[in-house]
Amino acid sequence: MKKKKTGFVFKICISLVLILAIFTGGYLFLDKKIVPKYFGKYGIYGIPDLVGVVASLYKSPNESKIVTNGFTQTDFSNAVSKLQNSGYKMNNDGSMQETEFSQFKGNISVVMTDRELASICNKFLGDGILVDALPNLNYLNIINISVLEIIITPDKDSFDGEFYTKAHVSSIMKINTTDICEQIAEQMDTPLFLLNMIIPETLYFEVAYDIDLDKQAEESAIVDASGTIAINGRSEKQSEILINLLIDFIFPDDENMNIDKFTNELGNVIVSGIETLGEFKFAGEIGSQKKQSGVFVNPLV
């Protein structure tokens, strides 16, 4: 793995040199010969692709512009209060009073808005509660992942008279890469400052997928594998090359990680957060103004 990762760092260094070389001539030669030779396997076939990747690395979006359904402290307090009233053994700061999930769960069903759910999932991530449920994401250090937003759009055709069994779920997550860079630097014996030049401190992932609860009994994963993923405010297509590079950089070969699997893993962050509370269905027209969607959770199943 060390040889592979060192080669990747070498390729990134080459890319920076090539971009500088654009301004001194040889554009056509670089565009048609050199760039495809070193980066073709990642889908980088010319100078425009290369410039786009580097631009994506260092373009961090404004959170206030990309997060449209972010949760507030009030949402978090409401969620904690609902769970406590439903019998969940939870402290006022949202931490679990019991380490065993079976002892933590409440005894009354609860309905939470998607913003309230996002605040609880974010708390679970920060407390390390989902580490065992998401082993593949431990390479990113799960406690450094933050949920900024969840938007649930129920499928109207799946309405069972009270709730919904299908929904489109989109989420925005933020990953702090400080620990990742330190870990990789140690494993590769690579200067940390070099990795900090390649990987920005913060990465934003926008993930969208469909969930069909009717398939839960048939399949081990209920997140649809045809989901989409984008990074740092870029489009899905613009993000594809960069995400593949990051996957190649972070995950070992034996994980067989690819962009579809990575999308699924990030999607399961939300699913694992809900399933920590209990079995769930999707709810619509909830919240103080009946304009939000969310989840109905039954802790007794």
Side-chain angles (χ1 to χ4, degrees), residues 2-3 10 14 27 100 110-111 113 129 154 159 168 177 203 229 231 255 287:
K2 181 177 179 180
K3 180 179 179 182
F10 176 68
I14 288 176
Y27 179 93
E100 295 293 333
V110 60
V111 178
T113 69
I129 292 173
F159 189 62
H168 181 74
T177 64
L203 294 174
I229 188 170
I231 191 171
E255 286 297 333

Side-chain angles (χ1 to χ4, degrees), residues 140-157:
L140 297 172
N141 197 342
I142 285 179
I143 63 172
N144 288 329
I145 302 176
S146 301
V147 175
L148 302 181
E149 170 184 273
I150 297 175
I151 298 177
I152 295 175
T153 306
D155 182 338
K156 295 180 179 179
D157 293 335

Side-chain angles (χ1 to χ4, degrees), residues 45-208:
Y45 301 111
I47 294 296
D49 293 335
L50 186 59
V51 172
V53 169
V54 175
S56 295
L57 282 169
Y58 294 100
K59 180 184 178 183
S60 293
N62 187 321
E63 284 188 20
S64 63
K65 292 183 178 180
I66 65 171
V67 177
T68 60
N69 194 46
F71 63 86
T72 64
Q73 181 60 41
T74 298
D75 292 313
F76 179 64
S77 298
N78 288 343
V80 171
S81 178
K82 286 182 178 180
L83 292 171
Q84 289 175 330
N85 291 338
S86 298
Y88 286 85
K89 296 176 179 60
M90 178 176 282
N91 296 313
N92 291 335
D93 65 355
S95 59
M96 293 171 52
Q97 295 176 1
E98 302 288 345
T99 56
E100 295 293 333
F101 293 149
S102 59
Q103 297 176 5
F104 161 71
K105 291 180 180 179
N107 47 40
I108 302 175
S109 59
V110 60
V111 178
M112 292 191 293
T113 69
D114 47 14
R115 290 204 296 263
E116 291 168 349
L117 174 63
S119 70
I120 292 298
C121 287
N122 184 63
K123 176 62 177 176
F124 284 169
L125 282 170
D127 286 352
I129 292 173
L130 303 182
V131 168
D132 291 339
L134 303 164
N136 284 327
L137 292 183
N138 285 333
Y139 293 101
L140 297 172
N141 197 342
I142 285 179
I143 63 172
N144 288 329
I145 302 176
S146 301
V147 175
L148 302 181
E149 170 184 273
I150 297 175
I151 298 177
I152 295 175
T153 306
D155 182 338
K156 295 180 179 179
D157 293 335
S158 70
F159 189 62
D160 64 5
E162 188 174 9
F163 301 106
Y164 303 83
T165 59
K166 299 179 183 178
H168 181 74
V169 180
S170 63
S171 61
I172 296 178
M173 301 179 204
K174 178 170 66 174
I175 299 179
N176 184 293
T177 64
T178 302
D179 288 347
I180 299 172
C181 289
E182 291 177 354
Q183 176 182 329
I184 295 173
E186 181 177 350
Q187 291 177 347
M188 295 172 48
D189 193 24
T190 301
L192 182 59
F193 78 87
L194 179 59
L195 293 176
N196 289 336
M197 290 174 60
I198 297 169
I199 303 179
E201 183 178 354
T202 302
L203 294 174
Y204 294 87
F205 288 92
E206 298 177 56
V207 184

